[in-house]
Amino acid sequence: MILGDTILETRGLTKQFKGFTAVNGVNLRVCRGSIHALIGPNGAGKTTCFNLLTRFLVPSAGRIVFNGIDITHERPAQIARRGIIRSFQISAVFPHLTALQNVRVGLQRSLGTAYHFWKSERTLAELNDRAMDLLTQVGLTDFADVPTVELAYGRKRALEIATTLAMEPELMLLDEPTQGMGHEDVDRVTALIKKVSNGRTILMVEHNMNVIAGISDTITVLQRGEVLAEGSYADVSKNPLVAEAYMGSADAALTGAHA
Ligand SMILES: Nc1ncnc2c1ncn2[C@@H]1O[C@H](COP(=O)(O)OP(=O)(O)O)[C@@H](O)[C@H]1O
Ligand SMILES: [Mg+2]
């Protein structure tokens, strides 16, 4: 795959919590069109990085540049409008709405809250078509009218991806998309991520090394808030520093994976 220019860059990104440095001078460069994985042992600072990128947390130091624009000081809503969208946990999907209704909520959110717009029947019909299209993209065509609460776990995560797609992300942030899944769901969601990466950029935190080996173009390994290594799976998996970082941690050994 030919990768594009830099879509997202962090320079010296740092976050301190009362003197404890959770993210320490991280320089990240994400290529447009790539699937970029952020990995590292528990406590390495992965989630904090995500929270900084979406400005859920305010950086202590450093800069975040998206499409050449410094977004370090922007608010979360502005960042979302620019196209950096994080896939939220299942809890953010309304359990008693159907799959279709949940995607529609996502579409409405992305179009703004102007109420009058929604009065027209035609607009609502268009919205339904678009929502159906997104459900089809994630393989949930047959589940459109099923209340979300009744969907199997893997399908809920697929729905989450559909609601994220509704926001028209240019850069999609996925925080452990296969967490807690059985084999089949992992394979299905991995294929789905690969599919939706077409025309987008994906930055994901993921623990499953098979998933990472299978679909990542670039991997950044964090350890204690700092970048320990970066490169392709082949490069990173034979880096002795990386193996050492995972030693004695509860995470899956990096070298045990196969694509
Ligand atoms: N709000 C917070 N206050 C204090 N410490 C925090 C806070 N959030 C995260 N940390 C600490 O920062 C470190 C990195 O956490 P986190 O980013 O969640 O790691 P990861 O996602 O890689 O497991 C951990 O030691 C964690 O305890
Ligand atoms: Mg985390």
Side-chain angles (χ1 to χ4, degrees):
M1 160 186 216
I2 298 164
L3 299 178
D5 57 328
T6 301
I7 186 169
L8 178 83
E9 191 175 1
T10 70
R11 297 181 199 145
L13 194 62
T14 298
K15 180 64 186 178
Q16 285 164 340
F17 296 110
K18 295 183 180 134
F20 173 77
T21 308
V23 171
N24 195 5
V26 166
N27 300 320
L28 202 64
R29 186 191 287 263
V30 178
C31 276
R32 191 182 308 281
S34 68
I35 298 181
H36 193 126
L38 198 57
I39 71 169
N42 269 328
K46 305 178 295 292
T47 299
T48 304
C49 265
F50 264 29
N51 286 333
L52 293 171
L53 293 177
T54 51
R55 263 308 287 270
F56 285 3
L57 288 172
V58 179
S60 309
R63 304 210 299 145
I64 304 167
V65 177
F66 180 65
N67 280 333
I69 297 163
D70 190 324
I71 60 163
T72 317
H73 303 291
E74 294 193 344
R75 292 190 310 272
Q78 284 175 294
I79 288 171
R81 267 200 300 277
R82 288 196 187 277
I84 301 181
I85 311 285
R86 179 175 182 164
S87 177
F88 289 90
Q89 300 303 316
I90 291 164
S91 56
V93 171
F94 300 104
H96 295 290
L97 295 185
T98 66
L100 185 78
Q101 288 168 331
N102 263 304
V103 177
R104 222 166 49 197
V105 169
L107 286 169
Q108 286 171 320
R109 211 186 281 154
S110 78
L111 290 168
T113 49
Y115 172 74
H116 299 294
F117 192 65
W118 308 115
K119 283 186 178 169
S120 132
E121 283 291 323
R122 189 157 50 96
T123 312
L124 278 171
E126 274 169 24
L127 213 57
N128 273 335
D129 288 350
R130 175 97 183 95
M132 230 14 242
D133 180 48
L134 286 168
L135 284 178
T136 302
Q137 281 185 45
V138 302
L140 292 177
T141 319
D142 296 341
F143 300 88
D145 299 323
V146 177
T148 304
V149 70
E150 289 171 23
L151 292 177
Y153 184 74
R155 296 209 166 93
K156 278 192 189 120
R157 301 303 302 246
L159 176 60
E160 218 174 87
I161 289 176
T163 60
T164 308
L165 290 175
M167 311 291 285
E168 298 192 0
E170 199 179 333
L171 173 64
M172 204 164 164
L173 303 183
L174 303 174
D175 202 347
E176 305 199 23
T178 70
Q179 190 186 26
M181 285 183 186
H183 246 305
E184 243 171 71
D185 281 343
V186 169
D187 290 348
R188 194 184 299 137
V189 168
T190 305
L192 177 57
I193 292 167
K194 180 74 188 164
K195 182 178 164 194
V196 303
S197 74
N198 191 4
R200 305 193 170 78
T201 308
I202 292 185
L203 178 61
M204 64 175 185
V205 170
E206 178 58 54
H207 278 293
N208 187 319
M209 289 303 163
N210 288 322
V211 174
I212 290 160
I215 61 172
S216 323
D217 298 296
T218 308
I219 299 164
T220 300
V221 187
L222 287 183
Q223 184 190 30
R224 288 190 220 98
E226 295 181 16
V227 175
L228 179 72
E230 191 167 86
S232 66
Y233 179 78
D235 292 338
V236 160
S237 62
K238 58 177 185 249
N239 184 326
L241 289 175
V242 176
E244 203 178 306
Y246 274 87
M247 210 86 80
S249 104
D251 294 304
L254 196 64
T255 46
H258 51 88

